[in-house]
Amino acid sequence: MTAKLIDGVAVAQKIRDECRERVQRIIAQGGTPPGLAVIIVGSDPASQIYVRNKIRACANVGIKSFRFDYPADVSQDTVIDQIMQLNDDPAVHGILVQLPLPPTFDMSRILHSISADKDVDGFHLYNVGGLVVGGTVFPPCTPYGVLKLLEHEHITLEGKNVVVVGASNIVGKPMALMLMQHEATVCICHAKTRDLAQFTILADILVVAAGYPNLIQPEMVRTGAVVIDVGINRLSDGQLVGDVNFAGVVAKASYITPVPGGVGPMTVSMLLVNTITSCERWQQQNFVPIVKKFSSARAAT
Ligand code: GUN
């Protein structure tokens, strides 16, 4: 068996084309164009590249972007003051703080100062809670992108054994919750899992987001499984690889995502989708901000 390659670049491009049309519709109806604020603290080279790609993608579909760069030694209060201003800015519908933050930062404090109504990363507690109870305003971008790839390939989830390797707040945990919502049987493995292979071998669909090159070897994968590689690792020779031994597993799986060109481009496309959704939400006639819903039971009805 040779797996079909899932072309994340093509699917991401199709979603961006749809995004462009949605933005044009908002403007044609006299609405404010979507705006995304991106905050980056420090000079982590990978983060600089990710932010540059996000800003470029915004321009490509007609989303306005507002970039704020801070040195690593900026005070947390300065960043929070900036977020508070953006929370009140009607031209801004999405706010993203690029992670990781410098180690001196209290990440939760920063992320929870973003209005839940502009939390296009889906990291705010309200949106995380929405995932738990089924339904969130902003699904986190990477797992949302994985679901879109599966949907594009008509790979159903109901009743499937799905094993998620990696339990991060950004990918593994929200991924598992979203898969459960689609009635998959979900198993989450992580850095402390003993004998990882005894779990991965059971997977109809294996989602790997652990951050270790070559973690998943062919003997750990069931013949015909769908393998989604979320890992992005830079080897010492400069090569970019995922967490899966691609050359080995491609001969055993039914579908596989390449790295690069699989999940990566989807993350940015889903950020665009969330930003446009936010913009549309803010411009709905009966829009009630989340914070108001909770301060007034009447407003929620
Ligand atoms: N760093 C790595 N992935 C992400 C992401 O999805 N959002 C943000 N804000 N930072 C990240």
Side-chain angles (χ1 to χ4, degrees):
M1 173 172 278
T2 300
K4 178 181 177 204
L5 260 55
I6 302 179
D7 185 350
V9 175
V11 182
Q13 187 55 53
K14 184 169 165 276
I15 291 171
R16 288 180 204 194
D17 293 343
E18 290 162 6
C19 284
R20 197 173 302 108
E21 285 168 23
R22 278 172 78 184
V23 172
Q24 282 164 0
R25 217 171 301 137
I26 292 168
I27 294 167
Q29 288 166 356
T32 310
L36 175 70
V38 181
I39 297 175
I40 178 163
V41 183
S43 55
D44 176 62
S47 292
Q48 293 287 338
I49 294 171
Y50 291 140
V51 164
R52 195 185 62 207
N53 289 344
K54 287 170 185 178
I55 301 252
R56 268 197 200 149
C58 282
N60 184 254
V61 301
I63 295 175
K64 286 195 173 173
S65 60
F66 309 90
R67 178 177 172 153
F68 301 87
D69 281 79
Y70 291 102
D73 60 358
V74 68
S75 77
Q76 293 201 86
D77 286 345
T78 303
V79 176
I80 289 173
D81 285 348
Q82 181 62 70
I83 291 171
M84 293 302 176
Q85 275 182 40
L86 295 167
N87 283 341
D88 291 334
D89 185 340
V92 172
H93 306 97
I95 304 170
L96 177 151
V97 176
Q98 186 64 29
L99 301 177
L101 285 164
T104 50
F105 272 64
D106 177 348
M107 187 179 67
S108 309
R109 209 179 138 219
I110 300 283
L111 293 183
H112 298 148
S113 66
I114 298 173
S115 160
D117 291 291
K118 297 191 178 186
D119 170 40
V120 287
D121 255 331
F123 295 162
H124 189 283
L125 286 179
Y126 173 84
N127 288 311
V128 176
L131 276 183
V132 174
V133 295
T136 182
V137 180
F138 302 114
C141 302
T142 301
Y144 194 11
V146 170
L147 288 191
K148 286 285 168 194
L149 285 179
L150 295 173
E151 189 185 299
H152 181 264
E153 299 295 338
H154 307 290
I155 297 165
T156 58
L157 288 163
E158 197 184 299
K160 299 268 176 74
N161 283 349
V162 186
V163 177
V164 179
V165 182
S168 69
N169 289 340
I170 297 183
V171 184
K173 286 186 207 163
M175 183 82 257
L177 290 164
M178 289 159 91
L179 291 162
M180 276 167 65
Q181 191 62 31
H182 285 79
E183 297 180 293
T185 303
V186 183
C187 165
I188 311 174
C189 300
H190 46 76
K192 298 276 164 64
T193 299
R194 275 183 288 117
D195 191 4
L196 182 60
Q198 70 171 323
F199 296 99
T200 58
I201 199 74
L202 297 176
D204 300 311
I205 301 172
L206 181 61
V207 181
V208 194
Y212 297 105
N214 284 318
L215 177 68
I216 303 297
Q217 296 294 337
E219 63 275 14
M220 299 166 74
V221 176
R222 200 176 60 73
T223 301
V226 174
V227 179
I228 306 291
D229 191 351
V230 185
I232 304 178
N233 308 290
R234 180 80 61 187
L235 300 183
S236 52
D237 64 0
Q239 200 193 340
L240 208 57
V241 297
D243 292 349
V244 175
N245 171 349
F246 182 87
V249 173
V250 74
K252 212 169 169 194
S254 56
Y255 290 84
I256 191 167
T257 56
V259 178
V263 177
M266 293 298 291
T267 299
V268 180
S269 286
M270 301 330 290
L271 173 68
L272 305 178
V273 168
N274 278 350
T275 305
I276 297 166
T277 300
S278 179
C279 174
E280 290 168 346
R281 231 180 129 248
W282 276 91
Q283 291 176 58
Q284 275 165 8
Q285 269 182 353
N286 55 356
F287 172 64
V288 181
I290 290 161
V291 62
K292 286 230 175 82
K293 273 191 195 169
F294 284 96
S295 60
S296 161
R298 263 185 108 214
T301 56

